[in-house]
Amino acid sequence: MKLVNGFDLMEYAKKHNYGLPAFNTTNLEMTYAIAKGLMNANLPGYIQISSNNLRLSNPEIIAQIARDAVKKSEVPIALHLDHGKSFEDVKACCEAGFTSIMIDMSALPYEENIRESRRAAEYCHFYGLPVEVELGALRGKEEDVVNEADCKTDPDMVADYVERTGCDLLAVSIGNVHGLCLNPEIDIPLLEKINRVCKVPLVLHGGSGIPKEVIWECKKYGLIKINYGSDLRKEFIRTFGEAYEENHNEHDVIHLSVDSVENVSKKAQELVTMINEH
Ligand code: G3H
Ligand code: ZN
């Protein structure tokens, strides 16, 4: 199947009451692994890459690999720009064939966040692509972006923010964290309040480390997309790390790369299956 438009993916998820995992990739192996995990689970989701991870590659390369990785899929898979840090990255990903976009201007003051997010949303909508934005800030480490501020999403700002940005998905800060160094403390009552006033589906970043029961509970309150980065990166790094610990002369890159695809795909399959058990 071709990469599926983000709007179509969300419609499919709503129709079947699926939660959609968005799995972060960095390279060729993880991209193929994510597609394999979703295909083996026969469940839909996103391959996504953040601006910070587009250093060793570029949107065209990632889109080309993703197109090849999903071509045998019978489940819909979209390619999403995660934490898009600039309008230039957004434009490049639209041009490269990404099918869903996040513009993350959450570090800017409110009015600037709105202005930049709206600019990106209007651009992406000409490509027919849905746009995710973020209101509030997550603590933790997202690659080399470390944020200490725990600024939860204010329900009183949601309706204005969603309306004025023209977004199609809203990433929320409800005690979720990026990375594995901090423990998430998910505020379900806050998510319920946000869902009541938000006209677009919600996104939970920092999926790694959140107990399955909490994910299932969050799905009751407008959650459609759950981001996972660290859980998969750990599997990729573990594959090579264990081999090196066993043999410091290890140099068989191709076999370890193939093993890494297997290990990461198993984790992706496990997570997408868990999300949709309830
Ligand atoms: O945007 C990416 C995700 O929020 C990654 O979060 O590494 O805690 O799973 P995680
Ligand atoms: Zn994130």
Side-chain angles (χ1 to χ4, degrees):
M1 193 185 297
K2 67 182 177 52
L3 285 168
V4 163
N5 177 281
F7 284 119
D8 296 334
L9 183 65
M10 290 197 287
E11 279 316 302
Y12 181 80
K14 286 175 196 163
K15 183 178 165 195
H16 297 276
N17 192 32
Y18 286 142
L20 295 169
F23 293 125
N24 284 83
T25 186
T26 296
N27 55 24
L28 175 140
E29 289 83 356
M30 290 187 78
T31 304
Y32 278 103
I34 291 164
K36 183 177 180 180
L38 293 170
M39 289 156 63
N40 287 347
N42 199 32
L43 286 165
Y46 297 83
I47 298 167
Q48 65 177 15
I49 187 164
S50 66
S51 283
N52 290 319
N53 270 244
L54 283 168
R55 282 178 283 181
L56 277 180
S57 60
N58 60 61
E60 286 77 16
I61 293 175
I62 293 295
Q64 188 55 41
I65 296 169
R67 276 191 287 271
D68 188 60
V70 306
K71 67 185 178 192
K72 291 184 182 140
S73 177
E74 293 180 15
V75 281
I77 300 172
L79 177 62
H80 180 78
L81 170 62
D82 181 35
H83 291 291
K85 289 297 181 199
S86 70
F87 189 61
E88 286 63 36
D89 278 357
V90 167
K91 287 196 292 186
C93 289
C94 287
E95 199 53 39
F98 279 55
T99 58
S100 179
I101 298 284
M102 177 183 190
I103 179 77
D104 179 2
M105 292 290 136
S106 55
L108 293 177
Y110 186 66
E111 288 301 325
E112 284 177 63
N113 179 341
I114 286 181
R115 191 184 64 240
E116 288 305 307
S117 299
R118 175 158 206 95
R119 181 186 177 208
E122 286 176 347
Y123 187 89
C124 294
H125 288 163
F126 281 112
Y127 280 80
L129 304 183
V131 176
E132 175 187 336
V133 294
E134 183 170 317
L135 181 62
L138 270 67
R139 286 180 304 139
K141 186 176 182 305
E142 172 60 18
E143 282 109 30
D144 46 14
V145 178
V146 180
N147 178 40
E148 297 304 325
D150 178 17
C151 174
K152 287 190 177 165
T153 303
D154 179 350
D156 295 335
M157 297 169 78
V158 166
D160 176 67
Y161 183 71
V162 168
E163 184 60 35
R164 292 172 62 197
T165 56
C167 70
D168 307 288
L169 300 100
L170 177 69
V172 295
S173 176
I174 55 169
N176 42 328
V177 295
H178 275 132
L180 297 171
C181 303
L182 300 169
N183 292 321
E185 291 169 21
I186 305 300
D187 184 341
I188 301 275
L190 175 56
L191 179 64
E192 194 181 354
K193 277 195 202 121
I194 294 167
N195 182 42
R196 254 187 267 130
V197 295
C198 190
K199 67 178 183 179
V200 298
L202 302 176
V203 183
L204 191 65
H205 283 235
S208 301
I210 297 180
K212 59 185 177 183
E213 296 78 8
V214 175
I215 295 290
W216 294 336
E217 187 67 15
C218 289
K219 278 176 67 182
K220 297 174 186 171
Y221 305 111
L223 186 67
I224 196 167
K225 175 173 177 276
I226 307 111
N227 286 13
Y228 290 94
S230 303
D231 278 350
L232 274 67
R233 294 177 183 130
K234 260 178 64 180
E235 285 305 296
F236 180 79
I237 293 168
R238 178 179 65 81
T239 309
F240 291 83
E242 285 177 355
Y244 180 74
E245 275 171 9
E246 205 171 297
N247 170 10
H248 283 198
N249 286 324
E250 179 60 74
H251 56 278
D252 188 345
V253 173
I254 183 57
H255 280 100
L256 288 174
S257 296
V258 169
D259 290 349
S260 72
V261 172
E262 192 55 28
N263 292 338
V264 173
S265 73
K266 280 197 182 110
K267 177 55 76 174
Q269 181 177 354
E270 175 197 309
L271 288 168
V272 66
T273 304
M274 174 277 289
I275 289 169
N276 291 292
E277 275 170 5
H278 290 271

